[in-house]
Amino acid sequence: MASSPSFLTGERAVVALFIARIVFSIPQSLLSESLSLSLLSLLALSVEISVDASSSLSLSHFFKTRPGASSGIFLGAVTLPGLIVSKLIQITRAVSLNQVGTEELENLQLLYWVTSASCFTVLAYLCFIFYRQSDSKNCATFRVSLSCIALYLGVCCVSFAVKSHGGWDAVAILLWLFFHGFAAVKLIQNILHTFPACASIGEALLVTVGLVIYFSDMLACTAAKSHGYFTASKLVTVPYGVQRSEVSIIIQGLITGLLIFPMLFKNVLQILERVSSAPSRDRGDNQMRRSLVFYVSLICVLVIAVPSWMQLVQDFHVHPFLWVLDFVLSEPLKRLSLCIYWLVVIYVSVIRFYNISKSSKIERILLRKYYHLMAVLMFVPALILQPKFLDLAFGAALAVFLILETIRIWRIWPLGQLVHQFMNAFTDHRDTDLLIVSHFSLLLGCALPIWFSSGFSDRPLAPFAGILSLGIGDTMASVVGYKYGVLRWSKTGKKTIEGTAAGITSVLAACSILLPLLATSRYIVDQNWFSLLFAVTVSGLLEAYTAQLDNAFIPLVFYSLLCL
């Protein structure tokens, strides 16, 4: 009986509802995906229970995770696979109506298996290192974990053997999945060791799988374009054979280049230190030299390396950055006006909130929610009027954030210390001096549902999932809960029932206003209000119960449920 409280938690119950809703919506044609998602969820739950219930030994022996947060393994392992299954259900509807071809469905199916296999391999790794040190190898959760691992492998092998009619194609695809799983294990190790106490295991798992898929996609696109004979292989053309837009290629090249850049910069510094025969005694000279190397390397990456890759995988007739300029000026009145509007909102908001943070005793959590409201003011008009331009703007903003965070971490003169002081005014317990993630999670929480909705989408509210859940729901829940909340969801937590009710109600009210507005534009509105109520309620309860970085998880969960 003592273990029941740790087993039955609010976060696990909400995640179980999320998975159950997806599984019961899957058509019979996606039976293997349904079974694998169920087994993956059960494996993640059993591993999380074992880790969180262990008082004598936990994964903290191997990883130093964020203090005050649960492991979050269950939520972190099922979020991305659940999202892709939701997209599969959506694409299946489109195929049945002859609105898209079967190739897109096959592409997305392999993408699901790549994502699922990456999560599965990390879970198997966590299970292995935990139980290798544990004295309770015969406990029920360990047996459940081993059973799930064996059954998942069986489902995976049988699925690809049937689809490819046996032979080497099935073996090649299984090796492709293993490659992603191995890369995910190595990457999560590096993330948790490089940034100790900056993330829970679930948060690190979400980031890890996303990065593995993103980098793998880039490598496959490069291989397909640079070696023509590879294009006949399913490993390259699926799921990488779908035609990309110029905007998506520019965003992918820019973000991937900036993610790789810190490693390049570090290696360049090490090389310069080795070849330097007379190191400078002046600390200022060393700082200036390092800053010079940083800016020169950054310019080379952004002006030469990244555009070269873009032109390799996409037929740009001009330099990609000139293409961006031409794209913006193709509708100068709308897009330049939107840029001016954004700059005014950002300038007024940042200056105002920064001054308040220095001179007022207002709670930092409430101050941060003003930025959520700012996101609503900025992104809703753009998403309705200029969705393609908003895609590009999100990529540019993310690139700027990556550059500024790199400058802050490395303390690059002259901006490093200034950026660090400014960002510290808006941090909370989930941020550290080593890594500040709140602004990334807010931006990506709003951007990812919009990026995922590119192409076919028969759910007009789905692109607004991040803006609604973070800009309105999360903000109202925090403000009302802080000012008027009395009844708490748990004795140890700070979230209140009044705040959650306000968040759910505000999102439903925003949807009731947004749907008629969308009906007057290019969208075809056919909304099931029961499904909408379920999606809003589950995402609101997740915000109330989770100890993870809610800006990252809530929009993805809400988006997945809206797609059903």
Side-chain angles (χ1 to χ4, degrees), residues 286-465:
N286 287 332
Q287 186 179 26
M288 291 292 293
R289 182 176 61 179
R290 191 177 71 157
S291 300
L292 179 62
V293 171
F294 175 87
Y295 291 117
V296 171
S297 301
L298 182 62
I299 291 173
C300 290
V301 168
L302 294 181
V303 178
I304 300 175
V306 168
S308 298
W309 177 84
M310 295 176 186
Q311 290 180 315
L312 173 65
V313 300
Q314 189 79 16
D315 295 328
F316 287 98
H317 300 294
V318 295
H319 193 281
F321 291 158
L322 293 178
W323 184 93
V324 170
L325 183 62
D326 181 67
F327 175 76
V328 174
L329 296 179
S330 62
E331 295 185 39
L333 182 61
K334 294 180 180 179
R335 292 172 180 171
L336 290 179
S337 299
L338 198 56
C339 289
I340 294 173
Y341 169 69
W342 285 341
L343 290 175
V344 171
V345 172
I346 291 172
Y347 177 79
V348 173
S349 302
V350 168
I351 296 300
R352 174 62 176 166
F353 299 155
Y354 184 64
N355 291 334
I356 291 176
S357 69
K358 294 190 299 183
S359 60
S360 175
K361 295 182 179 180
I362 186 173
E363 285 290 332
R364 187 165 294 187
I365 186 172
L366 297 182
L367 187 63
R368 288 156 55 88
K369 299 307 175 184
Y370 291 140
Y371 282 97
H372 290 217
L373 292 176
M374 186 181 75
V376 176
L377 293 176
M378 292 177 60
F379 301 147
V380 169
L383 183 53
I384 297 175
L385 301 175
Q386 287 287 319
K388 292 184 178 179
F389 182 60
L390 181 61
D391 287 348
L392 184 62
F394 274 133
L398 183 57
V400 171
F401 282 178
L402 287 171
I403 293 173
L404 291 177
E405 185 65 8
T406 305
I407 290 174
R408 188 194 69 83
I409 291 174
W410 288 89
R411 296 294 197 274
I412 301 299
W413 183 87
L415 299 176
Q417 189 60 31
L418 294 175
V419 174
H420 178 71
Q421 292 176 353
F422 177 81
M423 293 304 301
N424 270 345
F426 305 102
T427 57
D428 65 4
H429 63 281
R430 292 169 293 194
D431 297 310
T432 65
D433 287 342
L434 186 60
L435 188 65
I436 298 178
V437 298
S438 297
H439 54 305
F440 285 105
S441 62
L442 176 60
L443 180 68
L444 287 173
C446 294
L448 286 176
I450 298 173
W451 287 342
F452 282 131
S453 297
S454 60
F456 173 81
S457 179
D458 59 352
R459 296 292 185 262
L461 286 177
F464 296 86

Side-chain angles (χ1 to χ4, degrees), residues 1-10 12 49 53:
M1 296 298 293
S3 61
S4 59
S6 62
F7 171 78
L8 189 60
T9 65
R12 291 171 187 164
I49 292 172

Side-chain angles (χ1 to χ4, degrees), residues 48-290:
E48 179 179 283
I49 292 172
S50 301
V51 171
D52 290 346
S54 175
S55 57
S56 59
L57 176 68
S58 68
L59 291 174
S60 61
H61 178 72
F62 298 91
F63 307 122
K64 187 177 180 182
T65 57
R66 179 162 59 84
S70 61
S71 64
I73 296 173
F74 188 24
L75 178 60
V78 303
T79 298
L80 285 180
L83 184 150
I84 297 179
V85 171
S86 296
K87 289 294 294 182
L88 276 171
I89 298 171
Q90 189 179 50
I91 295 299
T92 302
R93 292 197 300 266
V95 171
S96 65
L97 298 174
N98 295 322
Q99 293 179 317
V100 300
T102 58
E103 182 185 15
E104 187 169 348
L105 180 63
E106 294 174 356
N107 295 341
L108 200 57
Q109 280 181 303
L110 186 56
L111 183 60
Y112 162 74
W113 284 106
V114 166
T115 305
S116 178
S118 300
C119 293
F120 167 80
T121 309
V122 173
L123 290 174
Y125 165 73
L126 295 175
C127 182
F128 171 74
I129 64 173
F130 178 79
Y131 286 105
R132 187 179 62 176
Q133 302 292 330
S134 177
D135 295 330
S136 55
K137 294 183 173 59
N138 295 322
C139 66
T141 53
F142 183 52
R143 292 194 296 270
V144 170
S145 298
L146 291 180
S147 300
C148 290
I149 291 173
L151 290 173
Y152 180 92
L153 291 173
V155 170
C156 187
C157 293
V158 170
S159 175
F160 284 105
V162 171
K163 290 179 181 178
S164 60
H165 305 289
W168 291 106
D169 283 345
V171 176
I173 294 176
L174 290 174
L175 289 175
W176 184 241
L177 300 184
F178 174 79
F179 163 76
H180 283 82
F182 177 78
V185 170
K186 299 301 293 184
L187 183 57
I188 196 171
Q189 289 175 338
N190 289 330
I191 289 177
L192 291 174
H193 286 137
T194 305
F195 302 103
C198 291
S200 68
I201 296 175
E203 294 163 354
L205 179 55
L206 180 71
V207 173
T208 295
V209 175
L211 290 177
V212 166
I213 301 303
Y214 210 56
F215 279 105
S216 172
D217 180 82
M218 182 179 183
L219 291 174
C221 283
T222 306
K225 290 292 183 178
S226 58
H227 300 287
Y229 60 90
F230 276 130
T231 57
S233 172
K234 281 190 175 182
L235 291 184
V236 175
T237 59
V238 181
Y240 313 108
V242 178
Q243 184 65 31
R244 317 292 181 87
S245 68
E246 289 87 351
V247 171
S248 64
I249 291 295
I250 288 172
I251 294 174
Q252 185 173 30
L254 191 61
I255 300 307
T256 307
L258 290 174
L259 289 173
I260 297 174
F261 171 73
M263 294 182 289
L264 173 65
F265 175 59
K266 183 178 179 180
N267 290 329
V268 171
L269 285 181
Q270 292 175 347
I271 293 173
L272 290 178
E273 290 176 358
R274 292 175 182 174
V275 300
S276 178
S277 57
S280 175
R281 298 179 182 178
D282 190 354
R283 183 177 179 182
D285 289 343
N286 287 332
Q287 186 179 26
M288 291 292 293
R289 182 176 61 179
R290 191 177 71 157

